Structures are given as C-alpha cells and as structure tokens.
Amino acid sequence: MSDNGNIESILHEDRIFPPPEKFNDRIGGAYINSMEKYDEMYARSMEDPDGFWGEVADQLDWFERWDTVSSGAFPDAKWFEGGKTNVCHNCIDRQINMGHGDDTAIIWEGEPTIGSGGSGEVRTLTYHDLHVEVCKFANALKSQGVKKGDVVTIYMGMVPELAIATLACARIGAPHSVIFGGFSSQAIADRVEDAKSKVVVTCDGSWRRGKVVPLKYNVDAATELTDLIEKVIVVKRCENEIAWNDERDIWWHEVCENQEDECPCESMDAEDMLFLLYTSGSTGKPKGIIHTTGGYMVYTYLTSKWVFNLRPDTDQVYWCTADIGWITGHSYIIYGVLPNRVPTLMYEGAPNFPEPDRFWNIVERHKVTQFYTAPTAIRAFMKWGDEHPKKHDLSSLNLLGTVGEPINPEAWMWYREIIGGSNCPIVDTWWQTETGGQMLTPLPGATPTTPGSCTRPFFGVDAAIVQEDGTEVDTNSGGLLVVRKPWPGILRGIFGDRDRFVDTYFGRIDGMYLAGDSARVDENGNFWIMGRIDDVINVSGHRLGTMEVESSLVSHESVVEAAVVGVPHEIKGTGIAAFCTLAGGFEPSEELKQTLRKHVANEIGAIAKPDMLKFTDALPKTRSGKIMRRLLRDVAAGTDSKQDITTLEDFTVIAKLRAED
Ligand code: WT7
C-alpha cells in the first residue's frame, strides 16, 4: 500500500514539541497563538464556512463583490461566484495603492559564478519595479496576440522573469502552464498539445551547477514534435549558443523594450481559470490541474499568512526553495506570499553549488526568517555534514517548513536542532497540486509538533480517514485520506477531461474528495501520512506515475514489457526501480541499462531516470495477467514481506528475480 519505508519508526514516535517561546517573541506574537484559539476557530470554519471565508476574502481587493461565498457540491463546488477580481492586482497593485510601492517584493539570488566566494548575483524588485516589469511583459504578450483565455506555456529557469511572466499572464487573464525546466522536449510538446497553447516563454539557458541547461534547445526540439507553437519568447540569461527562427522566436528584452509600463488588470470572474499545472496520475498521461481565480487566491493568501506567520513591516524575509515549476512555487513563492507583503526570496541554483553550504550562506546574507524546503533536501544536507550549516549564523531563522513527502523523524530532528537551533517551530505541511494550498499543517504559534506528523487540518478543511464505504476508521488504523467538504483552493477540473476528474477524485467514495494517500490519525488527533494508494511514487518530493515511466521504457525498441515500482532511497525518499523484459535480438548488458536510463530521461526528464534497472525473462503476474507490483517492491527493496503469492502464475519468476545480482 505504501512506498514509504518509515512507518515503523513513525509508529513509535512520542516526542512532542510545543511552539518555542522565541517564535512568539521575535515576531511580536503569532496570529494563532494557542490550541484553544485553533479549536475555536476551526469549529467556526466548519459550522460557518461562508462567514469564515467571506471575512478572509474581505482582506483582499475585489472589483465586484461576490454573490455567494460557496455554492454547489463536489465535484462542482464554486467559490465567490459573481465576484470579480484579479490575482496580479492583489499581488502588486494593491500594495502600491496602499502606499507600499517601495517595499521589497522579490529578492532574487542568481547562481554564483565560480570563484565569487559563494555570493551570487542579487536583484531586488520592489512592488513598483515588479509593476513596471509585469505591465511591460503583459503588453508584450498582447502584442503577440495573446488574449484572455489563451494558455501561455512557460518553460524557464528560476529567474525573476519567470515570476514576472506568471504575474503578467494573471494580469491579462491568460492562464499559464508552467513546465518545470527539468522536463524533456517530449514533455513540453505533450503539455502544449493538451493545453492547445501557441505561445511559449523560455530562456536561452538556465544555470545549474555551473553548467547551462539548454532550455531553448529543448523548446526547439518540441516544435519538431508539435505544430502548435507559433511564438517563442526568449529571456537572455546564459548567452549560450542557440538556434534562431526569425518567424517564431523573439527576445524578451526586445519585445518588452517599447511597451507601455501600464497595463490594466483584466477583470476576472472568481471562477475564471488562473492557471493549469500538469501533474502525474496513475495512467501514462499527465493531467492538467485547473485552478481558478478567487478561491485559490484567498486560500493561498490565508495559508501563507497563518502557516508561515507572515508579517509585513517587520524584518521578515521568507524563502521557499521550491522551483516555480511545481505547485509549491506557484502557491508559496508567488501567489500566496506577495499579497502578504513580505519579501519572497527566489534562488536560481542548486543547494550544493559551488559548496554544500550554499543555502546557509544565503540564509545568513539575506537574514532569512522563514525557510520552507523538502525532506529530500534535508536528508541530503544531513549527509553532507553538520559543518556546512555550522559555518553560518542562522539565528535569523524563526520558522522552518517542509513539504512534498513524509519526513523521517531523524531528518526532522536534525532540521530542528542543526538548522533551527532547537528554537524554531517546524511546519510539516501536507497538500497536493490539486488542493492548491496547505491542508494538514501545524500552526506555528499553536500546534505542538511531533517528528513525522503533519498534525491538524487547516481551517475549513474537513479531513478524515475512511474505509472504502466512507465510514471513519478507528484511531491509529490506516485508511484513505479524504476531505468531506469543499475548500476554496480545490482544483476545479482536469483540463479537457471531465470524466477523469470526476472518477479520480470523487468516483470512489461518494461525496468526498479522495486524496490518493493513505494515512492514520493518532490518539492526539494528529495525522500521519503513510503513502500513496495508487501507482504514483514520490521521488524527491515530486510526483511520478509509474505508468509514465513504463510507457517510456516500452517506447524503446529493446523493451517489450516493463514494470516500475518505488524502492526506499536514502536521499530521495523513494527511488525508481524498473523491471524490463527484452525483445528478441536484445541481450541484457550494462550498456543497454544506461541506454534505457538515458532514454527515460530524454522522454520525460532526469527526475524519472530509474535508480535500479533489472532485466528479466518474465514479470510476476496473476493468473488473470495483472503484474504483481507488491512482489516487485519486495524484490527491489531486497526484503521479503512474506506476501500471499497464491495467485502468482509462475512461481519461478520471483525466485529468478531474487537470485540475480
Ligand atoms: C503528494 C502530492 C504539495 C506540494 C508538493 C507535492 C505527498 C506532500 C506531504 C507531507 C507526507 C506529503 C503526498 C501527496 N506529500 N506533502 N507533508 N507529508 N506526504 O505536490 O506533486 O501534487 O504531490 O505528495 O503523497 O499526495 P504533488
């Protein structure tokens, strides 16, 4: 049921840490400062969701007020219907209108050039600066024929223009589809086709550990795979050699040069699409998750504010280390943070380049106060050694966060002690691309935390653990994690696939949102995520469908059949194990293994490269022909959980697989 190897240690975890005193002192108090307050407010958010969320929405600007706060039920729940607003307005213009145009909006730290002593290029954008840049690019998009409702594809490195591009799209009502810069040209082409997107924004290249990631080259290759791409707008970042098509390609700086620095915000219906973001599911085809304007804006604004305790007019500098190519970057670098008027730090490079202390160097120099990262990064830091964080003054930190996968208690304790000086609350936030924002999370000034648990539901989130028939399981029993009431940030659909949307999330348990994770609730009311229930694995906090990897393996001429499962991995949490049967004429070899690994990286992206690849004459199957993945998981992990194999068709298959190596 689970790809997560930590369940044993989680079961025995009983350390409890109350919110540290220092936390409350340093920032002049937490918004939610006791469990009594949490309980009371949570009860209200359940009894009177419209009252609760209406008050939150009132903290932001609307061009026209909504008629109803919430309406409809799953799968067609709507929020703030009749309301008109613009997310970019609330991120930028609202701050300027309130007299804060000169406050810092974004601090950008580039990858260091080698030999610069670890300090990268730094660019700071105030709300005024951001306004100018966003308006110019919004006008540039319009000049290229982009209209409200047109999907703009964005495939960039972590440069300020990436944030500018997303905000410019939001400003003119053109939904963006950001594709992580690690994905392949095939992945770009697939997403462009699915979203019917004609304009792609990219960079010549992106810096990664002193090397150039050839983004423009990948887009060029994607144009060979689809005819849809009409315009490619290119940011000059690395000045690497690139091919140029005069008809199609335009430099960002040239197209922006003569644009007006004012561009009115499009008045958007609360339920108009804000963006599409592709994520993996249990079939081979990634799904385009739809988020809309009003509910997503309100939900990410409030979760950012209360989970990270964001306070304007203080010395706070907030840093989320995610890439904007993932939902974490959308919600917690840009959309939830800017309306809270706390500087959001964006970093271009890798955590260990030029040295393994790169992150701590940045924390010290920018006096970062809130730091949000993934367990896989924390495990890598642990491995690289305590001396790297210890070289730096990390005393500016007052809150630590994690997201993306279950965090093992060892990593949690290390994070708390070595990075947080045992003085910072850790918010372990559970959520998904589909949920728009954080769903299960401690509140830093209120919730006692326990290593490995994401603790409690956020306000308005009616989370429960149920069995297949929808009834709740007992304390500490594993079951399906569901949400029983709509919340403002919920996805509104899968682009172009209504049936898949309804089936995936609402088809299995009547009237509830099925998250796709298994979990349990302990005797203190704390939630513990156990793992995925579908054929999705979580590699370094990134979701991957095993079917996607299988499809790419069998697309190679040498592979007839492939099965992919997760295998416990020290740093990644879960690694990828692939079992392949070969076509006639192909022999197993180390070289073929490497060829196939490379093939997957070319087809999907480097994150999908199998960590372990085995050739086999046959895969273990039931008599009805289903591949028995649980057996393969055992083989990959080198364990034997004494599973029931009475339905296994050919008993020798497993013995052979185990005997190899
Ligand atoms: C899946 C969602 C949401 C941003 C990053 C991932 C796993 C996420 C946690 C956590 C245990 C977690 C779940 C979830 N997950 N956060 N704090 N503890 N598991 O977004 O790619 O949509 O993946 O990531 O399995 O379903 P995503």
Side-chain angles (χ1 to χ4, degrees):
M1 199 165 185
S2 160
D3 283 318
N4 157 26
N6 312 320
I7 293 164
E8 266 316 291
S9 51
I10 285 173
L11 282 174
H12 299 120
E13 184 59 61
D14 50 15
R15 285 170 286 198
I16 297 178
F17 299 95
E21 298 273 324
K22 170 191 161 190
F23 178 75
N24 273 311
D25 288 353
R26 270 196 56 104
I27 39 98
Y31 288 109
I32 317 296
N33 57 11
S34 72
M35 276 316 263
E36 290 70 41
K37 195 161 169 190
Y38 165 81
D39 288 336
E40 187 190 303
M41 289 171 64
Y42 181 79
R44 194 235 164 168
S45 75
M46 285 294 116
E47 285 151 22
D48 177 22
D50 285 12
F52 182 90
W53 290 110
E55 283 167 23
V56 180
D58 264 331
Q59 298 177 23
L60 297 168
D61 285 352
W62 295 78
F63 307 147
E64 273 174 47
R65 209 183 159 74
W66 53 88
D67 301 323
T68 45
V69 172
S70 67
S71 47
F74 289 140
D76 295 306
K78 306 253 185 299
W79 289 84
F80 307 107
E81 269 211 304
K84 288 190 183 290
T85 185
N86 183 293
V87 177
C88 181
H89 168 93
N90 277 288
C91 286
I92 304 173
D93 305 52
R94 180 168 174 272
Q95 314 296 12
I96 296 173
N97 296 345
M98 294 197 312
H100 300 295
D102 294 329
D103 286 14
T104 301
I106 296 178
I107 301 169
W108 175 78
E109 167 102 19
E111 177 174 291
T113 30
I114 299 166
S116 66
S119 164
E121 189 188 333
V122 175
R123 220 180 126 185
T124 299
L125 290 110
T126 64
Y127 289 94
H128 270 311
D129 300 335
L130 195 55
H131 186 260
V132 169
E133 301 281 336
V134 166
C135 286
K136 284 190 166 217
F137 190 62
N139 286 325
L141 285 172
K142 284 185 177 173
S143 78
Q144 298 308 305
V146 176
K147 295 184 306 298
K148 181 175 177 177
D150 294 346
V151 177
V152 174
T153 298
I154 299 179
Y155 179 71
M156 298 167 80
M158 284 286 282
V159 286
E161 287 81 358
L162 169 53
I164 292 163
T166 57
L167 288 160
C169 287
R171 195 166 187 91
I172 63 171
H176 51 73
S177 162
V178 182
I179 303 174
F180 172 59
F183 278 122
S184 66
S185 42
Q186 185 65 53
I188 304 169
D190 291 347
R191 287 158 176 75
V192 159
E193 289 272 335
D194 190 77
K196 314 229 171 352
S197 172
K198 295 179 188 158
V199 175
V200 178
V201 188
T202 190
C203 303
D204 50 359
S206 155
W207 288 114
R208 188 82 183 164
R209 297 195 175 90
K211 294 208 181 81
V212 175
V213 182
L215 297 178
K216 170 66 164 62
Y217 174 88
N218 293 344
V219 173
D220 289 345
T223 63
E224 305 283 311
L225 303 167
T226 168
D227 295 333
L228 274 182
I229 304 172
E230 290 171 8
K231 291 287 169 199
V232 178
I233 303 177
V234 189
V235 172
K236 189 177 272 186
R237 170 63 185 142
C238 299
E239 311 202 11
N240 49 317
E241 276 300 310
I242 55 172
W244 199 259
N245 174 329
D246 282 331
E247 239 119 83
R248 194 190 60 211
D249 301 337
I250 320 154
W251 284 112
W252 170 294
H253 58 272
E254 285 179 7
V255 72
C256 285
E257 201 176 5
N258 295 316
Q259 301 295 342
E260 297 281 331
D261 55 12
E262 283 291 344
C263 170
C265 285
E266 196 70 42
S267 175
M268 303 297 286
D269 285 338
E271 285 294 339
D272 277 342
M273 187 176 7
L274 176 64
F275 64 81
L276 263 179
L277 184 61
Y278 284 84
T279 188
S280 298
S282 22
T283 72
K285 197 173 166 242
K287 38 195 186 187
I289 302 300
I290 298 172
H291 282 291
T292 58
T293 300
Y296 175 83
M297 173 177 82
V298 169
Y299 196 71
T300 54
Y301 159 73
L302 189 72
T303 46
S304 300
K305 180 172 176 173
W306 285 352
V307 174
F308 299 127
N309 216 67
L310 296 183
R311 288 185 178 268
D313 306 314
T314 62
D315 61 358
Q316 290 189 351
V317 174
Y318 162 88
W319 182 20
C320 163
T321 71
D323 191 289
I324 290 174
W326 309 106
I327 190 72
T328 307
H330 283 59
S331 301
Y332 298 111
I333 295 179
I334 305 176
Y335 291 122
V337 188
L338 292 172
N340 276 293
R341 198 163 46 84
V342 163
T344 179
L345 194 146
M346 244 181 107
Y347 169 53
E348 178 181 33
N352 57 350
F353 183 84
E355 298 295 334
D357 68 341
R358 180 68 175 135
F359 272 17
W360 319 123
N361 168 313
I362 293 175
V363 168
E364 178 172 3
R365 266 186 300 112
H366 293 285
K367 300 201 170 41
V368 171
T369 44
Q370 290 99 329
F371 179 76
Y372 192 35
T373 196
T376 184
I378 299 167
R379 287 190 295 266
F381 298 138
M382 282 174 79
K383 199 172 167 184
W384 295 333
D386 297 3
E387 65 271 27
H388 303 294
K390 285 192 169 150
K391 259 188 263 172
H392 296 276
D393 176 5
L394 305 181
S395 61
S396 59
L397 290 170
N398 70 42
L399 178 146
L400 303 174
T402 96
V403 60
E405 49 179 320
I407 180 164
N408 45 312
E410 299 68 34
W412 196 100
M413 288 305 295
W414 185 88
Y415 197 29
R416 177 185 150 83
E417 287 165 9
I418 307 299
I419 305 305
S422 301
N423 256 326
C424 300
I426 296 181
V427 291
D428 174 353
T429 60
W430 176 89
W431 59 293
Q432 309 176 291
T433 305
E434 291 87 339
T435 68
Q438 297 151 341
M439 299 290 280
L440 299 171
T441 175
L443 293 174
T447 318
T449 53
T450 289
S453 168
C454 52
T455 73
R456 304 296 169 103
F458 190 74
F459 303 108
V461 175
D462 185 16
I465 314 295
V466 301
Q467 331 182 39
E468 290 286 345
D469 64 3
T471 56
E472 275 188 77
V473 301
D474 295 336
T475 300
N476 278 322
S477 307
L480 306 168
L481 174 56
V482 295
V483 185
R484 296 179 293 199
K485 275 194 180 70
W487 66 98
I490 186 177
L491 80 160
R492 302 302 199 269
I494 294 176
F495 195 73
D497 203 340
R498 166 85 185 172
D499 290 347
R500 190 174 177 194
F501 167 59
V502 176
D503 292 351
T504 309
Y505 305 108
F506 308 101
R508 198 151 140 191
I509 304 173
D510 208 30
M512 300 182 191
Y513 168 84
L514 182 75
D517 282 352
S518 59
R520 68 182 171 92
V521 177
D522 70 16
E523 53 286 350
N524 301 316
N526 285 328
F527 283 72
W528 299 80
I529 305 297
M530 293 157 71
R532 297 286 308 186
I533 53 167
D534 48 15
D535 293 327
V536 169
I537 51 181
N538 193 323
V539 181
S540 301
H542 299 313
R543 211 202 297 187
L544 257 176
T546 50
M547 276 259 277
E548 273 175 86
V549 185
E550 288 164 5
S551 315
S552 104
L553 283 165
V554 295
S555 74
H556 191 269
E557 51 172 1
S558 67
V559 179
V560 220
E561 195 173 35
V564 166
V565 296
V567 54
H569 187 284
E570 197 190 346
I571 302 289
K572 298 181 181 180
T574 308
I576 303 172
F579 297 85
C580 302
T581 56
L582 292 177
F586 289 91
E587 289 300 320
S589 71
E590 191 50 41
E591 200 189 335
L592 184 56
K593 262 189 203 177
Q594 294 317 326
T595 306
L596 289 173
R597 293 181 72 237
K598 240 173 117 184
H599 175 72
V600 175
N602 286 336
E603 289 270 309
I604 305 177
I607 49 167
K609 244 190 204 174
D611 298 280
M612 173 198 281
L613 198 146
K614 280 188 178 229
F615 298 113
T616 171
D617 293 337
L619 291 166
K621 289 187 185 165
T622 61
R623 274 164 221 141
S624 60
K626 266 194 100 191
I627 295 173
M628 298 180 79
R629 290 164 186 286
R630 53 198 173 93
L631 289 182
L632 291 175
R633 278 198 278 269
D634 259 5
V635 173
T639 52
D640 185 355
S641 52
K642 302 271 180 289
Q643 308 206 28
D644 177 13
I645 51 166
T646 45
T647 56
L648 182 65
E649 190 202 29
D650 175 1
F651 288 94
T652 61
V653 170
I654 280 294
K656 276 193 208 146
L657 271 172
R658 286 195 195 282
E660 274 169 30
D661 287 342

